[in-house]
Amino acid sequence: MAELHLNGVRKVYAGGVEAIRGVDLEAEDGEFVVIVGPSGCGKSTLLRMVAGLERTSEGEIRIGERVVNDLEPAQRDIAMVFQNYALYPHMSVFRNMAYGLNNQGRPKEEILERVQRAARMLQLEGLLERKPRQLSGGQRQRVAMGRALVRDPKVFLFDEPLSNLDAKLRVQMRVEIKALQRGLGTTAMYVTHDQVEAMTLADRLVVMNGGVAEQIGRPLDIYQRPATRFVAGFIGSPSMNFLTAAVAADGRSLELPGELRVPLSARAGPTAGRQVTVGVRPEHLHLSPGSGPRLTLSVGLIELLGAETVVYGHPAGHEEAVTLRVQGVPEVTEGQDLELGLDPAHVHLFDARTGRSLSHPDDGGAV
Amino acid sequence: MVENRRWLNLLTHAVLLLGLAVVALPLWMTFVASTLGPGELINPPIPLLPGSHLLANYGEALSSGMARAGGVPVGTMLFNSLVMALGIAVGKIAISVISAYAIVYFRFPFRMTVFWLIFVTLMLPVEVRIVPTFQVVSSLGMLNSYAGLTIPLIASATATFLFRQFFLTVPDEYLEAARIDGAGPIRFFRDILLPLSRTNMAALFVILFIYGWNQYLWPLIVTTDEHLYTIVMGIKGMVTVSDEEPNWPIVMATSMLAMLPPVAVVIAMQRLFVKGLVDTEK
Ligand SMILES: Nc1ncnc2c1ncn2[C@@H]1O[C@H](COP(=O)(O)OP(=O)(O)OP(=O)(O)O)[C@@H](O)[C@H]1O
Ligand SMILES: [Mg+2]
């Protein structure tokens, strides 16, 4: 058990690809850190640098009190769960789990006891003599977890461990992973591109883009106060609606095409005439417009999900498509014109050029 | 082809049986000949059914057969062949697997150069380099020794290429998982890579064992001491006795004996093949 510190970490691959462009990250003891981001943003690279599988080009990685930059993976006191599990195919489940302990030269009884305890926790007791190929995907996943567990490491590292499972099993394993990690109180670093996993698992969420951490924070904070347009669009499903707008001459409101005006709260102070991007989450548009600003939407596709309904459409006078998410099953038909209410309190403003948030300028990570 | 016509079935079976006969008949004739008494073979027609001298002939071949023709017992020659074939098979596999491991898993200067040099030895089998090789072996004092019989044939890492291709298909995650599990290069090689290569090694072992067993030219050149003669040389020697008719039944019995070890190896290894094919361990 230990804290994890990343300090100005950079990674340049041999070919000159700069995969990580300077990441600072701190995880407290026992914290569950989730790294989320689009494909190719450097999530795996960052995790593998912590594991010691990739050299760190610059910066410092610290686990507990130790700087681990120059240590071999086995010396870092970490355990890793791979996306395709990487179980040794010729070894039994028991041997797979015991291999790391064997290499540490632990006594036989201790190995036996530790493996059995891990097997009990993961309900693998009856499977210890099987080979990996005789297991289902979910069981393999458990064995991979078990292999990490028996080592009793300071940090667990997970690289998209659930992406090979079907949807139902994924939910189940997600809950189990969280419960296990809580129970053991071990610091964990978890890479995923599934934002439900990210939101539910994380104590601390890192949203990465193009090799930098765009924002680091608690999941809800990131949802409520995204620091950049990218984060706003990436977190939340369906993703946030973006409309271009300009600040009115008096600096008090926003002018959007279609005669739409949105009053600006005092806290955001963009200068008059400035181009901005307005962001509104689909769940913050509502069907019963009050006295506030409203948006006329000509309805396109409708997705009925039962508990909620997602409506896609085009607002009058705007280029961008708009998504609306409402509870239950509303009375909406395709082709209809809908009047939508827009709550100014839930409007996010972003600089049209840099993408930085104008509503929450103080949040965010190492941008 | 899912066609199921009767005459087509018959035809294919006929072709198969014909093929079998072509392969099996000489073997059968050899066996028959090895059970006949002396002289029975010389007069036509050649018998097609086994005779009554089976035990006597094989006993003679094993103990003193060649001795009468001025050589050594078949047992000794079988042993020599076995040493040579095993030495070549084991030696080649060991060298190839280790060099492939180095080439695939380690970054060292001139790695690709080394690989291509090894690759070039594919083009230089013993027959091509036989004169210089003999020169080297002789000046190292390895004539008439097991070392002289085996080492020059081991010293071409032809199977390196095969193992390299196989290692390249082994997922990197195994290496990474092993590194996290604290396995150094030797442990990774021994505990993970070698077991994964088991079926490849078995296949190669069969091929190389038979290659070594069938060597004729090289043992003929490096051995002058008949205690190091191999069985293939021995059979040749038994046929070319100077002033009498070769004792064909004994020659045939020796041939049958010479066939047994390769057959045994194939049968023993076949189980591993099939197992390897059934449970794809990758
Ligand atoms: N060994 C390598 N050599 C050179 N470039 C690499 C190497 N590995 C990854 N990269 C590059 O580094 C960047 C980040 O890769 P990384 O695997 O970390 O992405 P990721 O966020 O894990 O993506 P995914 O979600 O698809 O797994 C990519 O642009 C990739 O092409
Ligand atoms: Mg990845």
Side-chain angles (χ1 to χ4, degrees), chain A residues 13-20 37-46 48 54 83 159-160 191-193:
Chain A
Y13 277 112
V17 181
E18 192 175 2
I20 303 289
S39 187
C41 69
K43 307 181 293 290
S44 300
T45 305
L46 193 64
R48 292 162 55 81
E54 298 288 354
Q83 175 171 354
D159 193 353
E160 309 203 20
V191 164
T192 180
H193 56 243

Side-chain angles (χ1 to χ4, degrees), chain A residues 48 51-54 72-74 78-80 82 84 86-91 95-96 99-104 131 133 147 151, chain B residues 171-184 187-196 198 275 278-282:
Chain A
R48 292 162 55 81
L53 297 172
E54 298 288 354
E72 273 292 299
I78 48 105
M80 182 156 167
F82 293 85
N84 50 12
L87 301 176
Y88 311 122
H90 57 289
M91 294 188 190
R95 287 235 295 143
N96 260 288
Y99 188 58
L101 298 177
N102 269 328
N103 288 339
Q104 290 174 4
K131 294 278 175 64
R133 65 171 177 280
R147 187 165 68 177
R151 308 194 44 205
Chain B
D172 283 345
E173 277 86 358
Y174 293 153
L175 174 64
E176 295 175 348
R179 282 179 68 193
I180 290 176
D181 272 339
R187 280 223 175 99
F188 172 70
F189 183 61
R190 192 192 62 197
D191 295 344
I192 289 154
L193 215 48
L194 282 188
L196 288 178
R198 220 178 35 165
K275 192 159 169 290
V278 172
D279 39 72
T280 40
E281 289 194 324
K282 255 201 294 173

Side-chain angles (χ1 to χ4, degrees), chain A residues 199-222:
Chain A
M199 293 297 285
T200 52
L201 286 172
D203 298 320
R204 191 183 295 250
L205 185 57
V206 181
V207 184
M208 285 195 56
N209 184 29
V212 294
E214 291 249 341
Q215 190 171 5
I216 300 175
R218 287 187 299 145
L220 260 191
D221 287 345
I222 289 182

Side-chain angles (χ1 to χ4, degrees), chain B residues 170-234:
Chain B
V170 172
D172 283 345
E173 277 86 358
Y174 293 153
L175 174 64
E176 295 175 348
R179 282 179 68 193
I180 290 176
D181 272 339
I186 304 275
R187 280 223 175 99
F188 172 70
F189 183 61
R190 192 192 62 197
D191 295 344
I192 289 154
L193 215 48
L194 282 188
L196 288 178
S197 325
R198 220 178 35 165
T199 49
N200 283 38
M201 291 201 292
L204 209 62
F205 183 83
V206 171
I207 293 167
L208 291 177
F209 184 88
I210 292 172
Y211 164 81
W213 189 265
N214 287 342
Q215 284 301 319
Y216 175 65
L217 187 58
W218 181 250
L220 194 66
I221 289 179
V222 285
T223 58
T224 43
D225 176 355
E226 50 282 314
H227 290 287
L228 283 162
Y229 280 3
T230 64
I231 189 77
V232 179
M233 293 164 70

